[in-house]
Amino acid sequence: MCSVMRILCLLHFLLTWYLPNSLLVGSELQEHTILLAKFSAKFCALRSLKTVNLSNNSLVGEIPNELQGIESLQDFQIFNNHLSGLIPSWVGNWTNLRVFAAYENDFNGRIPGTLGFISELKILNLHSNNLEGPIP
């Protein structure tokens, strides 16, 4: 199992949600760029992950619930995709989160108030979506 992975950066790939087993095997991975075909629940096994950047990939669908288990996450960037649905309220459980960049997607509904409880959050960028309500 991958025990020390800290950064997963996937820029300018065409992705759907799947994490291959090969990424979860090995040790001492500090930084890794990989093309994903689909994304699965195996991603939550990477509990030490600090950065996820899935921007500019033409992703569709919603933010997968499997991501909520990555409690060490500090930087989550999913901008310039075609993600839709609601931004899940469980994002507020990422108490170490410093950057949440989900702009230029198709998210709708209210901005989760739970984002306002993340004391470490320094950058919240949600422009160019169909969101409503106050900024937490």
Side-chain angles (χ1 to χ4, degrees):
M1 179 181 292
C2 174
S3 60
V4 189
M5 178 180 266
R6 304 239 188 251
I7 299 172
L8 178 64
C9 182
L10 304 150
L11 295 171
H12 301 289
F13 288 107
L14 296 176
L15 303 176
T16 57
W17 300 105
Y18 169 76
L19 189 63
N21 286 332
S22 61
L23 185 61
L24 299 176
V25 178
S27 62
E28 300 303 316
L29 293 173
Q30 295 295 322
E31 187 169 345
H32 197 79
T33 301
I34 190 165
L35 173 64
L36 302 180
K38 289 185 178 181
F39 196 75
S40 76
K42 295 175 186 173
F43 196 76
C44 67
L46 302 173
R47 300 229 182 254
S48 65
L49 201 60
K50 304 283 185 212
T51 300
V52 172
N53 189 333
L54 299 170
S55 303
N56 300 306
N57 284 299
S58 299
L59 293 173
V60 297
E62 299 179 350
I63 297 174
N65 286 327
E66 289 82 8
L67 293 176
Q68 67 183 312
I70 307 174
E71 296 174 0
S72 61
L73 201 57
Q74 295 176 358
D75 185 340
F76 186 63
Q77 298 186 47
I78 53 171
F79 60 86
N80 196 23
N81 284 296
H82 303 287
L83 297 169
S84 59
L86 303 174
I87 296 174
S89 61
W90 53 255
V91 170
N93 295 333
W94 289 340
T95 56
N96 297 311
L97 195 66
R98 295 179 183 154
V99 176
F100 184 72
Y103 59 91
E104 294 178 355
N105 278 291
D106 298 313
F107 291 115
N108 58 50
R110 298 187 64 80
I111 300 170
T114 56
L115 288 172
F117 298 121
I118 306 173
S119 61
E120 298 294 321
L121 191 62
K122 305 296 183 219
I123 298 172
L124 175 63
N125 196 334
L126 300 173
H127 75 79
S128 300
N129 282 290
N130 297 310
L131 297 167
E132 59 187 44
I135 298 172

